[in-house]
Amino acid sequence: MSVSQQNLLGENLTYSVNYGWVKIGEAKIFIDPELKYVNEEPHYQVQCLVKTASFIGFFKSIDYCYESLINVNTGLPLISHRVLKTGDDLDVRTNTFSRGDSTNISAYIEDVDAHRYHSFSNRKIVLDFLSTFLFFRRVDFTNQQSIEINSFYSNTLYGVTLRKPRVGKTKWSDTHFSTSEFSLFFPGNEYFKNDKHGKVVLLNDRYR
């Protein structure tokens, strides 16, 4: 599966953020209509805005802004910047990605004025939050049944195995859509001991 460059540029998507059946916020993802060139390489500029409201005192309000430059040809991130406001707390981070014999990440944490440095084998596909979102829309399973990817978030690398999607129909608001359902496998790590499973369902018209 793939989505043409022309279809992505200028795209503006809005998602509902739910806790169970209750809507607690909204997420918007916007791709700049113009490509950005770094060292003559074309990049998408992608921004995600998430806003929630406190709900009956159980949740703190969350304002989240994430912006990335993502290489058009490789799908890999070059730089990502995030601002996360939870209640009165503010977390601002910038990650810069470079690649040679390994994938190297320089993470600057603004509120403590500190850098963290990480290095990962090139055998791993290392993405950030928004390049992971785009990866789902361009991944090709022609010659394989599964792909392992890794998302770097808050100084931690999260591994997930993406399995070949099942194409079918999904009903939403009394309308049936052609969809691809991806099965996800999360191996246990320091945050959860047992393996986890999940799924993502995307529309086939634009792989959203």
Side-chain angles (χ1 to χ4, degrees):
M1 294 181 300
S2 63
V3 178
S4 72
Q5 175 180 306
Q6 288 74 22
N7 281 347
L8 289 176
L9 292 174
E11 187 173 73
N12 195 341
L13 302 176
T14 300
Y15 296 88
S16 175
V17 179
N18 299 296
Y19 185 81
W21 293 103
V22 179
K23 180 178 179 179
I24 61 172
E26 200 169 68
K28 296 184 177 181
I29 295 180
F30 173 72
I31 301 178
D32 195 279
E34 301 291 334
L35 294 175
K36 311 301 178 184
Y37 286 83
V38 180
N39 297 325
E40 299 184 351
E41 288 282 335
H43 290 76
Y44 297 116
Q45 183 173 355
V46 188
Q47 187 179 72
C48 176
L49 300 173
V50 179
K51 187 173 182 62
T52 68
S54 56
F55 179 69
I56 321 180
F58 289 105
F59 303 101
K60 291 183 178 179
S61 62
I62 298 174
D63 294 319
Y64 181 95
C65 177
Y66 201 111
E67 189 168 12
S68 297
L69 283 180
I70 301 169
N71 190 292
V72 170
N73 298 317
T74 66
L76 299 176
L78 175 66
I79 188 168
S80 61
H81 179 72
R82 88 159 199 216
V83 178
L84 175 62
K85 186 176 184 295
T86 307
D88 296 325
D89 299 326
L90 192 65
D91 184 356
V92 182
R93 300 170 185 247
T94 301
N95 297 326
T96 304
F97 296 75
S98 61
R99 295 168 183 86
D101 295 333
S102 59
T103 298
N104 303 298
I105 303 172
S106 172
Y108 175 64
I109 307 169
E110 186 173 305
D111 55 317
V112 295
D113 191 23
H115 285 85
R116 300 286 185 271
Y117 299 96
H118 308 267
S119 183
F120 305 102
S121 167
N122 277 338
R123 292 192 300 272
K124 294 184 176 181
I125 300 174
V126 179
L127 307 173
D128 70 345
F129 170 66
L130 287 174
S131 55
T132 300
F133 168 76
L134 290 186
F135 185 88
F136 275 96
R137 305 175 63 184
R138 64 187 294 169
V139 61
D140 187 353
F141 283 97
T142 301
N143 299 313
Q144 50 196 335
Q145 294 296 312
S146 65
I147 298 174
E148 181 183 338
I149 61 174
N150 300 271
S151 267
F152 184 81
Y153 185 83
S154 293
N155 290 315
T156 302
L157 194 67
Y158 296 91
V160 56
T161 298
L162 182 64
R163 297 198 170 103
K164 189 173 184 177
R166 182 179 63 186
V167 177
K169 295 283 187 180
T170 298
K171 185 177 180 180
W172 181 262
S173 299
D174 296 324
T175 303
H176 286 86
F177 297 93
S178 175
T179 58
S180 291
E181 181 180 311
F182 295 84
S183 296
L184 308 177
F185 170 73
F186 302 88
N189 58 31
E190 61 181 303
Y191 298 101
F192 51 87
K193 294 183 179 180
N194 299 321
D195 299 337
K196 302 290 184 180
H197 297 266
K199 69 177 181 180
V200 172
V201 179
L202 300 181
L203 298 179
N204 286 333
D205 63 339
R206 294 282 295 276
Y207 296 108
R208 295 179 292 181

